[in-house]
Amino acid sequence: MTETNFRARYPFWTTVTLRFSDQDSTNHVNNVAFAAYIEAGRVAFGWQHTRPLLTPAQDLFMANLSIAYRNQVRYPGNVEVGTGIKKVGRTSITLGHAIHRDDGVLAAEAESVIVLVDRAAGKSEPIPDSLRALLGADALAVKA
């Protein structure tokens, strides 16, 4: 099913060009490639929205990724990866993602959890209230 208004749900979008090597022996994009597409969306979102808010002593580490596959994707073409914040926890941020094919069909939905880490200690740390307020803004949230 094609969603004509799919862009309204996520505040940030990244276009990813499919690679020939993303295909498997059945000539559709392999499930492993979806994780790379989500990574592209998550990293682009982070460089624009979360990384500028961190100190040099902090970083965000990936803690979990779950993907629900909805429809096949075939090479060649592009996918659009939507990303937004679903939840800000004590030490973590849960991001929501959607991958849409060129024709607007939803190919996958995903959640990734990233954790705020003290780089020197190598341990998680609480998200400061100032950072929490900025990340909890409706402008960055996934819409229901």
Side-chain angles (χ1 to χ4, degrees):
M1 176 176 167
T2 301
E3 293 185 49
T4 55
N5 63 344
F6 66 86
R7 286 187 173 274
R9 193 153 180 243
Y10 293 86
F12 187 84
W13 288 88
T14 305
T15 301
V16 179
T17 301
L18 304 178
R19 301 169 301 183
F20 180 78
S21 61
D22 291 343
Q23 300 177 88
D24 61 18
S25 61
T26 63
N27 295 322
H28 75 269
V29 171
N30 188 276
N31 61 306
V32 175
F34 282 68
Y37 305 154
I38 294 161
E39 176 187 54
R42 184 184 72 250
V43 169
F45 179 88
W47 278 104
Q48 184 165 341
H49 295 293
T50 55
R51 184 151 300 276
L53 305 174
L54 302 179
T55 70
Q58 297 172 318
D59 208 342
L60 289 165
F61 288 4
M62 172 66 83
N64 192 30
L65 174 63
S66 62
I67 305 171
Y69 302 95
R70 304 295 185 211
N71 287 288
Q72 292 185 28
V73 175
R74 295 197 179 274
Y75 176 87
N78 297 310
V79 290
E80 298 289 328
V81 182
T83 302
I85 295 176
K86 292 184 84 173
K87 177 184 167 192
V88 179
R90 189 179 78 77
T91 62
S92 65
I93 303 164
T94 301
L95 298 174
H97 309 275
I99 298 174
H100 285 267
R101 300 186 321 205
D102 281 338
D103 60 2
V105 170
L106 178 65
E109 294 175 287
E111 274 191 6
S112 60
V113 178
I114 52 179
V115 176
L116 183 63
V117 173
D118 176 316
R119 293 172 64 116
K123 294 184 179 185
S124 65
E125 64 178 54
I127 296 172
D129 289 339
S130 57
L131 181 57
R132 180 181 308 285
L134 291 168
L135 295 176
D138 284 344
L140 296 179
V142 174
K143 310 298 184 265

